[in-house]
Amino acid sequence: MLLGTNLLETPDLELFGVQNANCVVMVPPKEFGFNAETAVDNEFQSQLDLAPEVITQQAMREFDAMVAQLRKAGVQVITFDYPLGDRSTPDAVFPNNWFSTTRDGTFYTFPMACQNRQKEVKPQSLIAELEKSGRHVLRSDSLVDFVDQDIFLESTGVMVMDHCNETIYAALSQRCERSALEEFASRIGYSRVISFQTSLPSGQPVYHTNVMMAVGDNFAVICSEVIPEYERRFVIKSLAKDKQVIDITLEQMNQFCGNILQLETINGSSVIAMSQSAFEAFSPSQIAQLSSHGKLLPFDVSTIESIGGGSVRCMLGEVFLPSRKRSL
């Protein structure tokens, strides 16, 4: 379905990198706090002995600093300051779980597992903000109806995309159900879906794939030890075909070393966004390896990642939509 399109205008399908977005959506954490609903299967969350207003203030400072530093580095940031509803959305700062976009101008929305996170899904408001910011939405599509079947697929939280090879990597969990995963892959025309099991020391699966792996244009970071051995070899072999594989430990994963994202700047160079805790947990040799693929941008988001159980990559909703041609 076409949304607000002037048929006399032609979108400029500018040639930014296939793998990396040069624009991201970020949502201010104005209702941020510990989410008891998501804590059921997110072992990365923890409660801090701080007053709610202090938590909000600290999270907002971390958010504002990250936005400013990304813009300074040359990445377009669209802040989506949504209106408050009758039910709080403590995890709205992690927008990459409910929407994604593709280079052909399609805006997708996804079925979220937790009820208070389903309240974050505001496609029309975000589409309006994207259009206002010069990004053109040609059509929208939704998998949200899967919720009625108790089937969930939390967008790029559970799907790590290798766009160069049209491949989706996904750790199966209650937030990533195979039927919805394969349906989405079919809709975007990706022929390879590599899904696998994971197991933490508790016996529970990793709640989101993007906390244990990341894929860039020529590299991949992965905590392979959480994947059963019979599947691990296949996943690593697939990644290693054309990427430098950087294997991280369980301890490094717990510091969000897997929750990083390569982006493109306005001048076409690459940067890699990560948290300060992840940066400090990487070994010197791993830092050298990553630095060969882009300038490293560490951000202090310690409040957000401690309480929210997600880090920098979770805060970035990639925008691959084309830019509209502007009149001079």
Side-chain angles (χ1 to χ4, degrees), residues 94-106:
F94 304 132
N96 82 305
N97 301 145
W98 69 263
F99 85 95
S100 73
T101 61
T102 54
R103 288 167 55 85
D104 68 357
T106 307

Side-chain angles (χ1 to χ4, degrees), residues 127-139:
I127 287 170
E129 192 63 38
L130 289 164
E131 292 278 0
K132 179 181 175 182
S133 300
R135 296 290 170 155
H136 194 53
V137 178
L138 288 169
R139 63 191 66 83

Side-chain angles (χ1 to χ4, degrees), residues 215-232:
V215 169
D217 51 7
N218 294 305
F219 74 93
V221 173
I222 186 168
C223 181
S224 68
E225 68 180 271
V226 300
I227 306 174
E229 186 176 356
Y230 68 93
E231 294 180 305
R232 182 188 312 159

Side-chain angles (χ1 to χ4, degrees), residues 73-132:
V75 177
Q76 182 184 2
V77 179
I78 298 171
T79 55
F80 178 46
D81 193 0
Y82 64 99
L84 297 179
D86 57 358
R87 187 174 181 185
S88 66
T89 53
D91 281 339
V93 71
F94 304 132
N96 82 305
N97 301 145
W98 69 263
F99 85 95
S100 73
T101 61
T102 54
R103 288 167 55 85
D104 68 357
T106 307
F107 180 98
Y108 291 91
T109 49
F110 292 85
M112 305 282 284
C114 296
Q115 289 188 3
N116 64 7
R117 294 220 63 190
Q118 292 169 11
K119 301 295 183 182
E120 298 171 27
V121 182
K122 299 177 173 67
Q124 297 304 320
S125 297
L126 180 51
I127 287 170
E129 192 63 38
L130 289 164
E131 292 278 0
K132 179 181 175 182

Side-chain angles (χ1 to χ4, degrees), residues 16-20 100-104 108 156 159-170 178 180-194 215 318 320:
F16 50 84
V18 172
Q19 179 63 31
N20 303 320
S100 73
T101 61
T102 54
R103 288 167 55 85
D104 68 357
Y108 291 91
T156 52
M159 296 183 292
V160 173
M161 309 281 200
D162 179 356
H163 297 298
C164 299
N165 294 303
E166 298 187 349
T167 300
I168 300 174
Y169 293 89
R178 194 187 303 273
L181 174 64
E182 293 177 350
E183 173 64 22
F184 177 69
S186 175
R187 293 190 191 188
I188 64 172
Y190 280 19
S191 57
R192 295 186 74 218
V193 176
I194 299 178
V215 169
E318 295 157 285
F320 290 100

Side-chain angles (χ1 to χ4, degrees), residues 212-247:
M212 52 84 60
M213 73 176 294
V215 169
D217 51 7
N218 294 305
F219 74 93
V221 173
I222 186 168
C223 181
S224 68
E225 68 180 271
V226 300
I227 306 174
E229 186 176 356
Y230 68 93
E231 294 180 305
R232 182 188 312 159
R233 290 193 296 268
F234 182 79
V235 174
I236 294 295
K237 182 178 179 180
S238 176
L239 291 169
K241 285 180 180 178
D242 60 356
K243 301 188 190 299
Q244 180 181 42
V245 178
I246 301 170
D247 209 340

